[in-house]
Amino acid sequence: MSQGQERRSEKLLPVALLGLGILLQLAGCSPPPDPVVCTHGTSNCTVTNTYGFFLCPAANVTYPRTEKELVAAVAAVAAVKRKVKVATKHSHSIPKLACPGGHDGTIISTARLNRTVRVDAEKRLMTVESGMLLRDLIEAAAAEGLSLPHSPYWSGLTIGGLLATGAHGSSLWGKGGAVHEYVVGLRIVTPAPASQGFAVVRELGAHHPDLDAAKVSIGVLGVISQVTLALQSLFKRSVTFVKRDDSDFADRVAMWGRLHEFGDMIWLPQQGKVVYRQDDRVDVSTPGDGLNDMFLFRANPTRATIAARAAEELLQENSTDTARCAAAQLQADTLERLAYGFTNDGASFTGYPVVGYQHRIQASGTCVDSPEDGLRSACGWDPWIPSSFNDNSGFSVALSKAPAFIADMQRLRDLNPAVFCAGVDPRIGVAFRYIKASSAYLGKAEDSIAIDIVYYRSHTAGMPRVHADVVDEIEQMALRKYDALPHWGKNRNIAFNGAISKYPKANEFLMVKDRYDPDGLFSSEWSDQVLGINGSPNITKEHCAIEGLCVCSKDSHCAPEQGYFCRPGKVYAKARVCSFGKDY
């Protein structure tokens, strides 16, 4: 082999490894580790999230198995006025929702509050404990001939966690795609005076005025014990993915969600394409036993995951836009060819439409389902191995403003489409889901389109990512120009700065918070900053803009020693982003 051929092979190696990472899947899997780790039994603990983004100390953790034990756990901290936070089984939120603050706080884990309490099939009501995984909830409902109408796409969330952050699927039909819209009752344990034993259970029915505060609460009101959901009779869905040119994307965004009950979109900016999900309810007698088993949520062989991450790092740190775009094209084409993990019978894909029962289509997450295999395989983001490490910016723009926002993003793309090959995860592109206006105080005030952008993150603090200014400009454009609302369970610090002022009923929420937890035991420095009570989530220091801790106002907030300087946005001139000197 000639030297030229060797160099070409070396350049193509990371591309091939990234494609291989999609194709190799295993039946076994090491489930994600417990987010809470203690050195002395249940004392001297730390809590993190499933990605290992943060590590917070705590004095101790409790694992209540019943509501009575949960009340006792809350009473114990309330009696001594100790800070407390709730942790879930897998802890998927990116912000520090589970950090009590300082070294003296307590963590209450809902991992063992994971049972079905009751099912009323005739009234189509189901009550579950708050630590129950979405996966188990939808399967238990299906066994009773019922369906949860909408849910997030990842089934490894708990019902309490997804309610706290306002997690959702995609729909403008009926009550919309957010799970909290189907909550008709819940029981929440909050601190109380000594005369009431330091903790009480508050039961909130469908018409209780506080339900709109409790069903999206970012965990600052107390601990949800049980949730009652209004379900529907078991139904089927028919799914087809259609890829089109993006020339009319801005015009179609407002109408697609009206045409298809579960419709969503994936924009592939570097290709100039949009993948439209044509997803509708069909009669239960329609033939088909399809399954949604998304590749990104399957178990990956550990060696393949490590190799894929190494290839990704090589493309980021020592490659060209041409090579990055080749890798992006390969990954996108591979996922399209494999129908994104959808199969017609649970085993193979034979063509669209894929028809299946709601509980087999609405969410997936098999990498947390499988038995332990000694870490020979794991979820693709498992922190125990050098795995995928990404940030996720998630925000919603009012549907009335969405066409103009998309047109602005396309203008930015048209300046240099190749920069999106590194700026945005090519497996996901820019994802769009629909959310209906909600009565929840921390929900959406009007019909909106939710945008998700996943992108590379270095394990080295302060290390710039290639073409980071693309996502940063889009994010600032959305939040500032189009008044976007951040997803409570995603995002870097900058997305939350001043966000609470955009919620018309924020004051009503804070009044409920003051009544339920007057001493702020379930609050933290982070939640106080986000809710506008005290301080700002922004942290200004060297390299802060690289980490999403601040919006740069001077070069030192970027990485000038590596050629990254603070510059205005290229389309949204009011943005301030860290741009590589040669690119600007």
Side-chain angles (χ1 to χ4, degrees):
M1 182 182 292
S2 70
Q3 289 184 342
Q5 289 174 318
E6 287 180 355
R7 283 194 294 270
R8 284 193 294 273
S9 296
E10 289 173 358
K11 290 179 180 179
L12 290 173
L13 180 60
V15 177
L17 288 173
L18 285 169
L20 185 65
I22 295 174
L23 292 170
L24 289 176
Q25 309 289 334
L26 292 182
C29 179
S30 292
D34 191 323
V36 182
V37 176
C38 305
T39 59
H40 296 94
T42 57
S43 300
N44 194 23
C45 307
T46 58
V47 61
T48 184
N49 67 1
T50 194
Y51 316 103
F53 278 7
F54 56 80
L55 189 68
C56 299
N60 66 303
V61 61
T62 62
Y63 292 90
R65 295 178 179 271
T66 65
E67 186 175 83
K68 183 178 180 180
E69 291 181 2
L70 179 59
V71 171
V74 174
V77 296
V80 295
K81 297 191 183 304
R82 174 182 285 181
K83 289 287 189 177
V84 59
K85 278 293 184 181
V86 180
T88 60
K89 183 176 178 64
H90 297 308
S91 188
H92 276 92
S93 293
I94 292 175
K96 297 179 180 180
L97 292 172
C99 295
H103 292 265
D104 300 324
T106 289
I107 297 167
I108 297 176
S109 172
T110 59
R112 297 172 187 172
L113 291 169
N114 57 2
R115 292 171 290 270
T116 300
V117 178
R118 72 183 69 88
V119 178
D120 187 331
E122 184 176 343
K123 293 183 178 179
R124 294 181 293 191
L125 297 175
M126 183 175 186
T127 301
V128 300
E129 293 176 326
S130 66
M132 191 176 205
L133 290 180
L134 174 62
R135 172 201 66 200
D136 298 331
L137 188 158
I138 60 179
E139 289 180 356
E144 299 288 341
L146 300 171
S147 293
L148 177 65
H150 296 278
S151 70
Y153 295 175
W154 165 245
S155 63
L157 305 174
T158 65
I159 184 65
L162 66 86
L163 290 179
T165 57
H168 56 86
S170 180
S171 188
L172 294 173
W173 292 34
K175 293 182 178 180
V179 178
H180 56 260
E181 295 306 311
Y182 301 90
V183 173
V184 293
L186 59 78
R187 293 169 64 87
I188 183 170
V189 182
T190 67
S195 60
Q196 294 178 284
F198 293 107
V200 294
V201 179
R202 299 175 186 264
E203 186 164 4
L204 310 182
H207 303 293
H208 196 290
D210 293 346
L211 187 62
D212 283 332
K215 63 186 183 182
V216 182
S217 69
I218 65 170
V220 298
L221 301 185
V223 190
I224 294 176
S225 171
Q226 298 176 10
V227 179
T228 300
L229 296 157
L231 306 183
Q232 297 177 1
S233 297
L234 190 66
F235 62 88
K236 283 185 172 182
R237 284 161 62 174
S238 174
V239 182
T240 298
F241 289 97
V242 180
K243 193 174 186 180
R244 292 171 51 101
D245 184 270
D246 72 356
S247 58
D248 61 349
F249 183 29
D251 296 326
R252 293 177 67 87
V253 65
M255 59 175 282
W256 189 252
R258 309 287 184 194
L259 293 174
H260 301 285
E261 183 176 1
F262 305 95
D264 68 19
M265 298 154 293
I266 295 174
W267 182 41
L268 304 174
Q270 69 277 10
Q271 294 186 29
K273 302 291 184 181
V274 181
V275 179
Y276 292 91
R277 179 167 172 158
Q278 186 174 302
D279 190 343
D280 295 288
R281 188 182 304 230
V282 294
D283 190 88
V284 74
S285 64
T286 306
D289 193 26
L291 178 68
N292 170 14
D293 187 9
M294 287 183 65
F295 277 95
L296 299 182
F297 297 158
R298 293 185 188 181
N300 290 293
T302 298
R303 288 184 178 180
T305 297
I306 294 172
R309 174 62 185 190
E312 190 178 24
E313 290 175 347
L314 183 60
L315 285 169
Q316 274 280 327
E317 299 166 11
N318 189 27
S319 192
T320 65
D321 285 341
T322 300
R324 296 179 191 114
C325 286
Q329 187 74 47
L330 174 62
Q331 292 180 84
D333 289 350
T334 301
L335 287 172
E336 181 183 4
R337 186 173 69 254
L338 298 174
Y340 308 96
F342 281 76
T343 56
N344 297 87
D345 56 4
S348 60
F349 174 71
T350 56
Y352 293 120
V354 173
V355 176
Y357 287 101
Q358 164 72 341
H359 64 287
R360 289 171 59 84
I361 296 293
Q362 68 189 111
S364 66
T366 51
C367 74
V368 299
D369 294 348
S370 305
E372 174 66 50
D373 69 355
L375 211 61
R376 288 187 297 109
S377 64
C379 293
W381 53 84
D382 195 302
W384 283 6
I385 59 176
S387 59
S388 177
F389 197 56
N390 298 306
D391 266 318
N392 183 181
S393 292
F395 45 83
S396 58
V397 173
L399 198 56
S400 59
K401 300 177 181 178
F405 174 60
I406 288 174
D408 271 348
M409 286 198 296
Q410 289 178 314
R411 286 174 58 207
L412 182 60
R413 184 275 313 275
D414 292 344
L415 295 176
N416 186 359
V419 301
F420 279 83
C421 297
V424 172
D425 189 320
R427 299 168 300 174
I428 301 169
V430 181
F432 293 79
R433 291 178 292 163
Y434 294 96
I435 317 175
K436 197 166 185 179
S438 173
S439 62
Y441 295 158
L442 297 185
K444 313 304 177 189
E446 56 184 305
D447 292 353
S448 302
I449 190 80
I451 297 97
D452 266 298
I453 309 177
V454 175
Y455 45 94
Y456 175 90
R457 176 174 177 171
S458 174
H459 285 284
T460 303
M463 176 66 71
R465 64 188 193 278
V466 176
H467 303 310
D469 51 342
V470 170
V471 171
D472 292 353
E473 182 171 348
I474 289 174
E475 185 176 37
Q476 291 179 43
M477 182 193 303
L479 295 169
R480 295 179 174 186
K481 182 177 179 179
Y482 292 100
D483 292 320
L485 299 176
H487 189 298
W488 293 114
K490 302 176 182 178
N491 293 298
R492 304 172 298 173
N493 289 39
I494 57 172
F496 297 105
N497 190 39
I500 194 65
S501 64
K502 301 176 185 178
Y503 289 85
K505 295 185 177 180
N507 286 335
E508 285 92 330
F509 177 82
L510 293 176
M511 285 191 288
V512 175
K513 175 185 175 300
D514 288 342
R515 282 194 287 110
Y516 279 32
D517 184 19
D519 293 317
L521 302 183
F522 282 89
S523 296
S524 64
E525 181 182 18
W526 182 86
S527 66
D528 282 350
Q529 292 167 348
V530 168
L531 293 173
I533 296 171
N534 185 30
S536 164
N538 281 4
I539 299 173
T540 303
K541 61 179 183 178
E542 286 190 358
H543 302 154
C544 58
I546 298 293
E547 297 295 324
L549 300 175
C550 74
V551 173
C552 69
S553 58
K554 55 184 180 180
D555 290 339
S556 63
H557 295 158
C558 298
E561 71 282 0
Q562 298 183 62
Y564 287 81
F565 302 93
C566 187
R567 296 289 184 265
K570 295 176 181 176
V571 169
Y572 179 53
K574 292 183 179 179
R576 291 296 179 269
V577 297
C578 296
S579 294
F580 189 60
K582 294 180 181 179
D583 293 339
Y584 194 79

